[in-house]
Amino acid sequence: MKRLYLTAFCGIALATTGCAQTTLKKAFQKDFLIGAALNPAQFCEADSAETAIVKRQFNSISPENALKWERVHPEPGEFDFTLADRYVDFGVTNKMFTIGHTLVWHSQTPDWVFKDADGKPATREVLLQRMREHILAVAGRYRGKIGGWDVVNEALNGDGSLRNSPWRKIIGDDYIARAFEFAHEADPQAELYYNDYALEDKAKRSGAVALVKQLQAQGVKITGVGLQGHYLLGEPSAAQVDETISAFEKLGLKVMITELDVNVLPTPGQALSADVSERYRMGAGLNPYTNGLPDAVQQRLAQRYAELFSVFLKHRASVSRVTFWGVTDGDSWLNDWPIPGRMSYPLLFNRDGRPKPCFQAVVESARQPSNVKSAAGSAANPATDGHR
Ligand code: G3I
């Protein structure tokens, strides 16, 4: 009986103190980097509570919006690096692996980029020149400070074909290869990534594999593929995530989970989408947890995170980073997408900055005997070297 009490007491003590003391970056220090996408209040240190969580828990950061084209290059010849500089300074000062997001995307890119002086579509030559100027100015400015760039973001349709974005319409299919070449020219040491959502769907994944093979055949430098990881409680399956990571590691690439969150809210529209242009109206039953997340859902979320991290840990040799798209539930883009004004709960910290049961599940996944690195594979992941 005494022993039983003692075990129960230790269990509770571990749950309240052990996990509270363990941080995400410590728990995975031999496996991969652990990152978060930051907003200006966090990297400018205006929100001291959230900044403290970032410094304590994470060893990599991504800019949620601060480096997008519309922010840093709003008008022709006009750059505004005010916030971007603060973001990069924060990463450098705190010795975090600092990510650049993103150089070439169809979204959040001002219309002028694709037009000539008369408002007609720009020519291929003009657009290529603009793309090069942008990439050299932005990636060049942070040469040696930003460790890896999402060079091209979301270039594929769901069926694996190339999205007919203004980039493709005007330049042609080779706009992707040119973007990677310009990024390499701007910073030869930086890691260069292709980043997209729903690559766990077979058709889209095949398109991404074909795209990477083509770039590799042309001798274009590509370091890795970012699986955005905007997931749901039930989708994609662990097996799909497993197969997707395998598909890219077979190509000799690093794989990173770049925008991880797990949406617990009802999702009208495409299950695995993260298409920012999708919008739906609020309707009955679409905002079910305004008074907090029920325990049962909290537990499902914890199990889901544990399941996902088991897969990431299985692939620790190729997975170099797992980045959450936000720090606390209150920060998440999922409070406003695809329906504005909902209460979402997709991250590891609640609105008060306290770790949720899913935080514990994630930390514990690193200690699960089935997930712990075997003696044979005990060398540290080279991707995390120098960033612990
Ligand atoms: O900053 C303005 C603010 O001044 C204004 O009052 C307010 C009114 O709507 O808008 C604010 O800007 C919003 C911005 O987020 C900052 O909150 C934009 O409207 C909104 O469109 C923007 O959404 C971002 C979205 O990308 C589009 O850029 C989300 O924060 C960001 O999380 C999301 O991130 C994308 C990744 O870049 C690519 N993958 C998908 C991912 C999620 O959509």
Side-chain angles (χ1 to χ4, degrees):
M1 197 62 171
K2 225 180 190 175
R3 205 166 141 193
L4 196 69
Y5 279 135
L6 195 66
T7 314
F9 173 77
C10 288
I12 293 164
L14 200 75
T16 53
T17 60
C19 284
Q21 279 164 8
T22 305
T23 64
L24 294 168
K25 66 183 177 191
K26 270 191 215 146
F28 297 98
Q29 62 183 345
K30 295 208 171 111
D31 304 308
F32 33 69
L33 298 168
I34 291 282
L38 305 191
N39 60 37
Q42 293 157 344
F43 61 73
C44 295
E45 312 208 25
D47 185 333
S48 53
E50 294 211 359
T51 305
I53 300 176
V54 174
K55 290 184 182 175
R56 188 170 143 76
Q57 299 286 345
F58 300 98
N59 48 18
S60 176
I61 53 170
S62 299
E64 186 177 3
N65 290 300
L67 269 162
K68 289 175 181 171
W69 192 309
E70 66 179 9
R71 301 290 170 103
V72 294
H73 194 176
E75 301 290 342
E78 191 186 297
F79 290 89
D80 180 354
F81 291 114
T82 321
L83 275 180
D85 284 355
R86 297 289 300 267
Y87 163 76
V88 175
D89 284 351
F90 180 84
V92 170
T93 306
N94 293 293
K95 300 187 170 54
M96 292 163 164
F97 189 72
T98 303
I99 299 298
H101 171 86
T102 173
L103 293 170
V104 173
W105 190 21
H106 60 276
S107 193
Q108 321 310 124
T109 304
D111 285 348
W112 65 261
V113 175
F114 305 109
K115 295 196 170 143
D116 68 13
D118 303 324
K120 297 204 189 88
T123 61
R124 168 181 159 91
E125 289 65 37
V126 165
L127 189 53
L128 273 173
Q129 180 51 35
R130 274 187 194 148
M131 183 202 264
R132 180 165 179 271
E133 182 205 17
H134 177 80
I135 293 178
L136 290 190
V138 181
R141 182 178 182 89
Y142 302 116
R143 183 194 285 228
K145 293 181 175 172
I146 283 191
W149 276 100
D150 292 337
V151 178
V152 176
N153 196 43
E154 301 173 8
L156 292 163
N157 292 315
D159 66 1
S161 60
L162 282 185
R163 188 193 284 270
N164 208 15
S165 68
W167 293 110
R168 177 170 183 253
K169 276 190 206 147
I170 297 172
I171 297 177
D173 291 358
D174 67 328
Y175 85 88
I176 298 176
R178 300 291 83 79
F180 276 86
E181 285 167 357
F182 297 150
H184 186 49
E185 183 185 348
D187 186 350
Q189 304 306 321
E191 297 192 346
L192 306 180
Y193 318 127
Y194 175 70
N195 192 52
D196 212 333
Y197 59 83
L199 294 176
E200 296 75 13
D201 281 343
K202 251 193 180 147
K204 192 163 181 180
R205 187 196 317 155
S206 305
V209 165
L211 173 66
V212 168
K213 283 185 174 167
Q214 211 176 17
L215 293 173
Q216 290 176 327
Q218 292 166 2
V220 173
K221 172 176 168 177
I222 171 165
T223 322
V225 163
L227 313 182
Q228 290 188 1
H230 294 295
Y231 294 148
L232 307 176
L233 280 173
E235 279 190 67
S237 69
Q240 276 176 290
V241 178
D242 188 6
E243 283 161 19
T244 308
I245 298 175
S246 296
F248 294 112
E249 71 190 8
K250 271 190 207 133
L251 301 177
L253 295 178
K254 289 185 182 181
V255 180
M256 48 280 316
I257 317 301
T258 52
E259 305 185 9
L260 184 60
D261 45 31
V262 176
N263 194 356
V264 300
L265 300 180
T267 50
Q270 282 277 97
L272 269 190
S273 177
D275 185 338
V276 289
S277 66
E278 256 183 68
R279 290 275 151 198
Y280 296 94
R281 283 216 194 118
M282 185 72 87
L286 292 177
N287 192 18
Y289 307 129
T290 48
N291 294 323
L293 196 60
D295 268 358
V297 189
Q298 200 72 269
Q299 294 312 322
R300 276 181 68 201
L301 182 63
Q303 282 159 14
R304 175 63 166 155
Y305 264 114
E307 169 186 73
L308 289 169
F309 270 79
S310 298
V311 179
F312 305 154
L313 286 163
K314 177 180 166 194
H315 292 278
R316 53 166 66 77
S318 57
V319 171
S320 58
R321 170 169 56 92
V322 177
T323 291
F324 293 86
W325 204 241
V327 177
T328 70
D329 286 340
D331 308 325
S332 174
W333 71 295
L334 290 170
N335 292 303
D336 286 307
W337 181 92
I339 300 172
R342 295 200 295 179
M343 283 281 260
S344 84
Y345 301 84
L347 296 166
L348 302 190
F349 297 91
N350 70 16
R351 285 171 170 73
D352 299 325
R354 275 199 281 274
K356 293 157 61 180
C358 52
F359 171 91
Q360 257 126 26
V362 164
V363 164
E364 277 161 23
S365 73
R367 303 181 186 140
Q368 284 298 312
S370 54
N371 292 339
V372 169
K373 201 176 295 197
S374 68
S378 63
N381 182 344
T384 60
D385 282 352
H387 304 295
R388 276 174 239 155

